[in-house]
């Protein structure tokens, strides 16, 4: 909305174009007013700027909500959008900038007003405002409903409009309008199947093409500007936008596309969902895999990865076959490691994905063959030359300890321990520090268990799983884990206290047998070594001593 976005600080109550748009008079479709309203220069908005702009213009939208059912001006704006976007889809290169600017500004106005309506009115009232023609003759327009035309127009842009400098903002704003329309579910008690806008979106013949287009947009990782600039940006805007595009590895449009796709996939759960079917059927993974790997710091990417692994067996096979699986796993481990209250959903999804991956035996072998030179984000201790498998153990054991002692979220530590249990039979060449942390987790929980009066069931369950993890490792990879044996020998007193506990006798016996056996070997070796040293001293001749 050029008139809106031209300045965040100006007094918009005095803007004549905006006041006319929201006023009591109908503005004809052919009026030159529309070109004036939609021809202001584009200015990139940050998320904060966008929020401020919406809040500043609420008084305008209140006026429009009062007058629109009589004037039909919002419906006229939507027809202007459909007209301009149609021209944009058919235009030659020299006209793209002009139509992109007008289409973008029309979309921005549309999004703000729809957002205002969705927050205040039920869907039936929102549709009335979309369809209202004011005093105009209904026969002057197509019989097809305007809300259907709007959704088809948005789909056409996202499916058919190429993405480059001038059209990039149009794509972003089209996705934003879609997200606002879908948000109507949050403000209604009606079933999704009763929402007309949802039915249009999910029953459209273009839904599969839209799903594929969103996957392509995400995979291509296109930024908003190239070095050539854009014909409807000022120089200052170009520099500012270029800086924001290069400072963040993942372009905003890529994230928006992933977010819209995730919202579409997670709706219509009990019914046939064409967008979910798209994820199940895609078969070209190279670009998609690369794009996911570089964008896993964002929650929407992690959700997309989960749905692909869960619904597309070919994609799952492709991922597990990658020799550089660390580029996928390490960002998820970082998200788990740095999780806080604001990113708990991101952490949960990362853990679920890790659990899915650890169900594969070859993955569990591979992670102990991949060596990471350094892990700068792991600040508990400087790590060098650690295996990916070792890092997984460190992060999951740390998360279990923190959760059981502070957060007490059973779902969280259960997933962590399940991942460790899946991996345990393939533990190999664990570093001393990794073994210390694994056994150290048992020690901390054991102390808590012995003095606790509450949460005994959860801690007892966690202790049993850790014992099962150790038991599985010793049963399957004894020779490959000398550091773990040394750690068990050094800390055998921790396990001794559980040997007579009925809750643990069945699972701890094998572990105690192992460390007792190796303890006896160690004692014999020490005695043998002492005997050899004594024999050596006695066999030394006086001459050799004097020498």
């Amino acid at each position: 909305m050029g008139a809106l976005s031209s300045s965040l600080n100006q007094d918009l109550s005095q803007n004549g174009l905006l006041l006319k748009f929201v006023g009591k008079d109908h503005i004809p479709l052919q009026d030159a007013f529309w070109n004036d309203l939609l021809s202001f220069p584009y200015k990139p908005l940050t998320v904060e700027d966008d929020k401020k702009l919406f809040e500043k213009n609420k008084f305008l939208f209140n006026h429009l909500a009062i007058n629109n059912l009589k004037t039909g001006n919002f419906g006229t704006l939507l027809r202007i959008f459909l007209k301009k976007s149609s021209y944009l889809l058919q235009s030659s290169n020299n006209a793209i900038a002009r139509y992109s600017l007008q289409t973008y500004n029309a979309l921005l106005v549309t999004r703000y007003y729809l957002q205002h309506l969705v927050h205040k009115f039920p869907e039936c009232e929102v549709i009335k405002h979309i369809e209202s023609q004011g005093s105009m003759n209904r026969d002057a327009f197509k019989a097809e409903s305007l809300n259907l035309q709007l959704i088809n127009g948005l789909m056409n842009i996202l499916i058919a409009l190429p993405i480059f400098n001038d059209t990039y903002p149009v794509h972003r704003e089209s996705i934003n309008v879609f997200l606002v329309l879908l948000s109507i579910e949050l403000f209604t008690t009606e079933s999704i199947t009763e929402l007309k806008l949802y039915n249009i979106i999910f029953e459209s013949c273009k839904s599969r093409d839209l799903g594929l287009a969103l996957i392509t947009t995400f995979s291509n990782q296109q930024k908003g500007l190239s070095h050539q600039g854009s014909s409807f940006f000022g120089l200052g805007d170009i520099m500012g936008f270029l800086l924001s595009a290069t400072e963040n590895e993942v372009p905003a449009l890529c994230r928006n596309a992933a977010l819209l796709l995730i919202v579409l996939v997670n709706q219509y759960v009990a019914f046939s969902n064409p967008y979910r079917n798209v994820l199940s059927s895609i078969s070209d993974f190279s670009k998609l895999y690369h794009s996911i790997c570089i964008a896993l710091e964002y929650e929407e990417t992690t959700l997309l990865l989960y749905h692909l692994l869960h619904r597309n067996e070919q994609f799952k096979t492709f991922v597990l076959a990658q020799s550089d699986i660390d580029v996928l796993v390490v960002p998820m481990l970082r998200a788990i490691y740095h999780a806080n209250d604001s990113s708990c959903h991101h952490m949960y999804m990362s853990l679920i994905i890790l659990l899915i991956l650890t169900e594969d035996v070859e993955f569990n072998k591979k992670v102990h063959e991949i060596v990471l030179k350094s892990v700068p984000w792991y600040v508990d201790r400087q790590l060098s030359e650690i295996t990916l498998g070792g890092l997984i153990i460190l992060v999951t054991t740390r998360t279990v300890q923190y959760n059981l002692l502070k957060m007490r979220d059973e779902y969280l530590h259960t997933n962590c321990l399940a991942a460790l249990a899946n991996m345990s039979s393939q533990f190999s060449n664990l570093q001393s520090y990794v073994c210390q942390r694994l056994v150290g987790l048992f020690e901390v929980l054991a102390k808590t268990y012995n003095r606790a009066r509450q949460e005994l069931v959860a801690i007892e369950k966690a202790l049993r799983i850790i014992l099962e993890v150790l038991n599985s490792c010793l049963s399957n990879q004894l020779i490959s884990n000398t550091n773990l044996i040394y750690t068990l020998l050094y800390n055998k007193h921790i396990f001794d206290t559980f040997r007579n506990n009925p809750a643990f006798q069945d699972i701890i016996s094998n572990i105690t047998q192992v460390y007792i056996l190796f303890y006896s070997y160690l004692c014999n070796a020490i005695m043998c070594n002492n005997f050899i040293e004594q024999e050596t001293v006695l066999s030394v001749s006086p001459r050799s001593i004097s020498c």
Side-chain angles (χ1 to χ4, degrees), residues 401-434:
Q401 182 171 329
Y402 177 79
N403 177 66
L404 277 172
L405 300 182
K406 294 186 178 181
M407 294 172 63
R408 292 185 171 87
D409 182 341
E410 185 175 357
Y411 180 81
L412 180 61
H413 71 254
T414 298
N415 277 324
C416 288
L417 292 171
L420 286 173
N422 288 343
M423 296 172 61
S424 59
S425 65
Q426 302 302 324
F427 283 175
S428 179
N429 299 314
L430 300 182
Q431 284 188 333
S432 295
Y433 177 61
V434 175

Side-chain angles (χ1 to χ4, degrees), residues 123 147-148 150-152 154-155 158-159 174-175 177-185 192 195-211 214 260 263-265 267-268 272-275:
E123 188 199 44
N147 57 75
L148 176 59
L150 169 62
I151 291 171
N152 282 336
L154 296 171
M155 287 184 169
L158 297 174
I159 293 168
S174 296
I175 290 175
V177 174
F178 246 120
L179 290 170
V180 170
L181 290 174
L182 290 165
S183 73
I184 201 166
E185 183 209 3
I192 285 181
L195 297 175
K196 292 181 180 179
L197 295 174
Y198 265 72
N199 288 332
I200 294 171
I201 293 170
F202 284 89
E203 295 175 7
S204 170
C205 61
K206 299 178 182 179
S207 56
R208 176 175 172 78
D209 289 338
L210 175 59
L214 293 172
L260 176 55
V263 172
L264 291 168
V265 165
Q267 304 299 334
Y268 262 48
S272 177
N273 183 320
Y275 304 99

